[in-house]
């Protein structure tokens, strides 16, 4: 039984359209789930809510929580923004705007497009609003049976604004629209949310300005800030971090506000650590430091420790120089494809090697899941189930044959090349297996978002490395072009730690040309607000 804080109770109670800003570890999912359950209890059987999350995994978790205590989720939608736009707006109503039929409409990523489609889609890669010229290109793809993924939110917005039947349908079926991780919304997603709210559906946006880390995807925290300022939205905060040790929460909050009120604590569990050598040497030092850490903390398992780095280059240092058991979580050649075939292969390999990964999670990668007949679904399950008994030397052939059968398309040469690279590499395949308790987990800061660990070792906190620094008019001039996004990413890294956080800089650094230069602590480690909130440690002493 959850005992809600006063802040959480304020966020849960009905109050019209609402913005909830929630810090890491604040129990925001529990708050959203409780708020949704309360609302569902008041609805008619044909009504429901819209709950949009950043990932399918988060959607499944939220839906499961909303069904607690035998709650009937009724006619609700749980899923990602793309799946909502497709199933509730584009498939039912696009033909009212462009004519034709959406029956065989196929969503495609850039790598899925045919050469002729690539030429048409080229101007549509960065699209916030649809004008007449862009609509012409979208119509041309549509009449050929293709919907281009980057256009989905903007196209849904266009339909909602120009189709009265779409507006009436959403307003009649759904009473509220909830969007999590709102700080990572694009302009088209933001405008669609406002359009739905303005049509009479209550809007609830949940986010954290300090966890906005996807600017390179054209996502911006400015849209969350705009909602906070809007008169028709109430703003509530859920600001207490229940997950992290108080000293870790204190340190992370002082990154942004030197005057942030500290939570009393009798110990400090944040260390600023100086390692000798370069980033490469830091990876070598971990072979001694991590076993020592485990020896001193008998309740800690190796898998409770995460080593977080700024980029794939540093991940490579860990791969090359960590001799203790570890798991490197990095994008492989199949991840880089960003295609339907690649997503299916990735899911099939997770199912093959990870006993906790289900057939349903593989089926989620298939298009038009709702239209699969019962007989076809039985056949699909039988095909997927074979993955668990496939011999390693037959895996490549199995994946090729299965994707061809389930997606009804032959893989491209680039996809086959990626498949061969991954299936012939033991380290690449290891990423798809279940994490062992004796393995330290290593990943980039971006990949760590949404995860939590007992202890975090945050590398790369050296000047010029993180935050990213450019040369100014003079060498001494400090120019940080992505300071806000980098600081948010640093905050995300620190707040993954529950009980212990080590912030590491090195005495020297390797530059982009792999030359050894003098090292200085990151500007993040010298912020005025964090002084006195950490211990120091030099290695070797």
């Amino acid at each position: 039984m959850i005992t809600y804080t006063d802040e959480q109770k304020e966020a849960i109670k009905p109050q019209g359209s609402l913005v909830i800003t929630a810090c890491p570890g604040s129990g925001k999912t529990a708050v959203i789930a409780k708020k949704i359950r309360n609302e569902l209890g008041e609805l008619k059987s044909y009504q429901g809510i819209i709950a949009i999350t950043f990932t399918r995994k988060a959607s499944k978790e939220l839906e499961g929580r909303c069904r607690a205590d035998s709650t009937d989720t009724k006619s609700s939608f749980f899923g990602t923004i793309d799946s909502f736009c497709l199933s509730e707006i584009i498939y039912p109503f696009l033909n009212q705007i462009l004519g034709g039929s959406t029956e065989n409409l196929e969503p495609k990523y850039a790598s899925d497009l045919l050469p002729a489609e690539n030429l048409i889609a080229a101007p549509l890669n960065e699209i916030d609003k649809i004008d007449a010229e862009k609509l012409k290109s979208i119509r041309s793809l549509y009449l050929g049976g293709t919907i281009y993924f980057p256009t989905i939110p903007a196209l849904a917005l266009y339909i909602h604004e120009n189709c009265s039947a779409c507006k009436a349908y959403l307003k009649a079926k759904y009473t509220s629209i909830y969007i999590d991780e709102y700080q990572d919304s694009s302009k088209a997603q933001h405008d669609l949310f406002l359009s739905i709210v303005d049509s009479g559906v209550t809007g609830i946006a949940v986010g954290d300005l300090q966890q906005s880390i996807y600017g390179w995807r054209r996502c911006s925290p400015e849209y969350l800030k705009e909602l906070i300022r809007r008169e028709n939205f109430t703003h509530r905060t859920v600001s207490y971090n229940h997950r992290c040790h108080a000293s870790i929460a204190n340190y992370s909050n002082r990154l942004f506000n030197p005057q942030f009120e500290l939570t009393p604590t009798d110990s400090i569990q944040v260390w600023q650590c100086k390692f000798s050598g370069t980033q490469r040497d830091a990876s070598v030092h971990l072979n001694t430091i991590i076993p020592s850490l485990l020896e001193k903390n008998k309740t800690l398992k190796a898998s409770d420790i995460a080593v977080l780095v700024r980029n794939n280059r540093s991940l490579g240092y860990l791969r090359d120089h960590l001799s203790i058991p570890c798991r490197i979580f990095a994008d492989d050649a199949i991840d880089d494809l960003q295609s339907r075939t690649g997503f299916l292969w990735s899911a099939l390999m997770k199912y093959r090697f990870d006993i906790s990964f289900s057939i349903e999670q593989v089926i989620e990668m298939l298009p038009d899941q709702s239209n699969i007949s019962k007989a076809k679904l039985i056949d699909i399950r039988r095909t997927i189930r074979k993955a668990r008994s496939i011999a390693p030397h037959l895996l490549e052939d199995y994946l090729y044959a299965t994707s061809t059968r389930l997606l009804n398309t032959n893989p491209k040469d680039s996809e086959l090349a990626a498949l061969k690279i991954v299936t012939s590499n033991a380290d690449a395949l290891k990423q798809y297996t279940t994490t062992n308790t004796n393995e330290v987990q290593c990943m980039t800061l971006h990949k760590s978002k949404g995860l939590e660990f007992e202890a975090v070792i945050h590398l790369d906190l050296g000047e010029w490395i993180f935050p990213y620094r450019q040369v100014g008019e003079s060498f001494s001039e400090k120019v940080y072009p992505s300071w806000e996004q980098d600081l948010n990413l640093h905050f995300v890294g620190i707040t993954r730690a529950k009980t212990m956080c080590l912030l590491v800089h090195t005495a020297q650094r390797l530059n982009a040309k792999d030359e050894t230069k003098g090292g200085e602590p990151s500007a993040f480690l010298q912020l005025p607000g964090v002084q006195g909130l950490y211990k120091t440690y030099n290695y070797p002493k």
Side-chain angles (χ1 to χ4, degrees), residues 180-326:
D180 194 14
E181 305 289 359
Y182 204 92
Q183 75 280 353
D184 295 323
S185 292
S186 68
K187 179 170 174 48
Q189 293 166 3
H190 174 62
D191 289 344
L192 174 61
F193 176 71
L194 290 179
S195 182
I196 293 172
V197 171
D198 290 343
S199 71
V201 178
T202 300
I204 296 92
V206 185
D208 182 1
L209 295 170
Q210 295 168 355
Q211 291 192 77
S212 173
I213 60 173
Y214 295 110
W216 48 279
R217 291 183 182 171
R218 301 175 65 245
C219 302
S220 173
E222 294 304 316
Y223 308 124
L224 181 58
K225 293 178 184 178
E226 181 187 332
L227 287 185
I228 293 171
R229 294 192 296 265
R230 288 178 75 94
E231 291 183 357
N232 58 331
F233 276 80
T234 301
H235 179 210
R236 301 294 182 198
T237 60
V238 184
S239 60
Y240 186 79
N241 185 334
H242 300 268
R243 179 176 67 209
C244 301
H245 186 273
S247 66
I248 298 173
N250 286 340
Y251 187 102
S252 63
N253 287 322
R254 282 289 182 93
L255 293 173
F256 302 94
N257 178 7
Q259 307 305 319
F260 192 94
E261 185 176 350
L262 301 177
T263 300
T265 177
D266 57 2
S267 65
I268 292 179
Q269 297 297 318
V270 181
W271 282 263
Q272 287 194 6
C273 308
K274 181 179 180 179
F275 286 6
S276 63
T278 65
Q279 304 99 290
R280 188 181 289 125
D281 298 306
S283 298
V284 176
H285 294 327
L286 293 180
N287 292 314
T288 302
I289 289 170
I290 291 176
S292 175
L293 194 61
L294 292 170
E295 180 63 28
K296 292 177 181 177
N297 299 269
K298 298 295 187 181
T299 61
L300 206 62
K301 303 185 297 292
S303 58
D304 293 330
I305 300 174
V307 180
L308 307 182
V309 297
R310 177 66 183 91
N311 50 37
N312 287 328
R313 183 187 182 196
S314 293
L315 213 53
Y317 297 145
L318 293 172
R319 181 185 290 108
D320 294 340
H321 299 289
L322 266 187
S323 58
I324 58 176
C326 65

Side-chain angles (χ1 to χ4, degrees), residues 291-498:
S292 175
L293 194 61
L294 292 170
E295 180 63 28
K296 292 177 181 177
N297 299 269
K298 298 295 187 181
T299 61
L300 206 62
K301 303 185 297 292
S303 58
D304 293 330
I305 300 174
V307 180
L308 307 182
V309 297
R310 177 66 183 91
N311 50 37
N312 287 328
R313 183 187 182 196
S314 293
L315 213 53
Y317 297 145
L318 293 172
R319 181 185 290 108
D320 294 340
H321 299 289
L322 266 187
S323 58
I324 58 176
C326 65
R327 178 67 58 90
I328 307 290
F329 292 92
D331 289 340
D332 59 29
I334 289 177
D335 292 320
D336 292 339
L337 291 172
Q338 288 294 298
S339 69
R340 288 172 305 153
T341 299
F343 293 139
L344 178 59
W345 282 344
S346 181
L348 283 167
M349 285 195 290
K350 287 176 183 174
Y351 177 76
R352 165 68 177 82
F353 294 107
D354 186 347
I355 197 68
S356 67
F357 202 80
S358 68
I359 287 180
E360 283 67 30
Q361 288 172 285
V362 181
I363 293 174
E364 285 180 3
M365 298 297 107
L366 300 178
D368 300 325
Q369 301 161 42
S370 59
N371 295 327
I372 299 175
S373 67
K374 185 176 181 180
K376 179 67 173 175
L377 191 58
I378 291 172
D379 183 58
I380 288 171
R381 288 176 179 276
R382 186 183 299 116
T383 300
I384 295 171
R385 197 173 287 115
K386 288 179 182 177
R388 290 257 163 94
S389 58
I390 289 293
H393 69 282
L394 296 176
L395 182 60
E396 181 181 348
D397 290 340
Y398 165 79
L399 292 171
Y400 171 87
T402 301
S403 66
T404 301
R405 181 179 181 183
L406 298 186
L407 298 176
N408 198 29
T409 183
N410 291 319
K412 296 180 179 179
D413 290 344
S414 59
E415 291 172 329
L416 292 174
L419 178 62
K420 185 174 289 294
I421 289 171
V422 173
T423 55
S424 62
N425 186 306
D427 286 337
L429 289 176
K430 186 180 179 183
Q431 283 200 169
Y432 295 95
T433 62
T434 309
T435 304
N436 294 324
T437 57
N438 68 334
E439 291 179 323
V440 174
Q441 303 188 59
C442 306
M443 64 193 74
T444 63
L445 290 158
H446 277 102
K447 273 194 177 292
S448 74
K449 190 169 187 291
L451 303 177
E452 58 183 54
F453 310 92
E454 290 299 327
V456 162
I457 301 174
H458 182 340
L459 301 182
D460 290 341
L461 286 165
E463 190 70 352
W464 295 96
I465 304 171
F466 192 48
Y468 172 63
R469 178 177 163 185
Q470 289 180 337
V471 177
E473 292 185 5
S474 66
F475 187 80
S476 60
E477 182 184 6
K478 298 182 178 181
V479 179
Y480 305 105
S482 54
W483 175 274
E484 183 177 3
Q485 284 276 300
D486 284 348
L487 186 59
N488 288 348
L489 193 56
H490 180 45
F491 173 81
V492 165
I494 293 171
T495 52
R496 299 313 92 193
K498 294 167 68 175

Side-chain angles (χ1 to χ4, degrees), residues 64-106:
R65 292 200 188 195
C66 288
R67 286 179 172 168
D69 303 324
S70 301
T71 301
D72 182 2
T73 54
K74 300 180 180 177
S75 299
S76 297
F77 173 91
F78 291 85
T80 63
I81 183 67
D82 284 340
S83 61
F84 168 72
C85 291
L86 286 168
S87 67
E88 297 300 282
I89 298 178
I90 293 175
Y91 285 139
F93 300 106
L94 181 57
N95 59 348
Q96 296 193 29
I97 300 293
L98 297 181
S101 171
T102 60
E103 185 176 348
N104 298 312
L105 191 60
E106 183 179 7

Side-chain angles (χ1 to χ4, degrees), residues 4-74:
Y4 296 99
T5 65
D6 289 342
E7 280 187 330
Q8 291 172 330
K9 290 176 183 176
E10 279 297 309
I12 290 169
K13 71 181 184 182
Q15 52 206 294
S17 290
L18 181 68
V19 182
I20 303 173
T21 48
C23 73
S26 62
K28 68 164 184 175
T29 305
V31 168
I32 299 170
K34 177 62 174 175
K35 191 173 180 68
I36 290 174
R37 289 200 304 273
N38 288 351
E39 183 174 351
L40 289 171
E42 304 296 322
L43 302 185
K44 298 179 175 66
S45 60
Y46 64 85
Q47 293 178 308
I49 58 90
I50 303 162
I52 293 174
T53 56
F54 199 64
T55 64
R56 291 186 181 94
K57 180 180 178 182
S59 174
K60 292 290 184 185
E61 180 187 355
L62 179 59
E63 185 174 8
R65 292 200 188 195
C66 288
R67 286 179 172 168
D69 303 324
S70 301
T71 301
D72 182 2
T73 54
K74 300 180 180 177

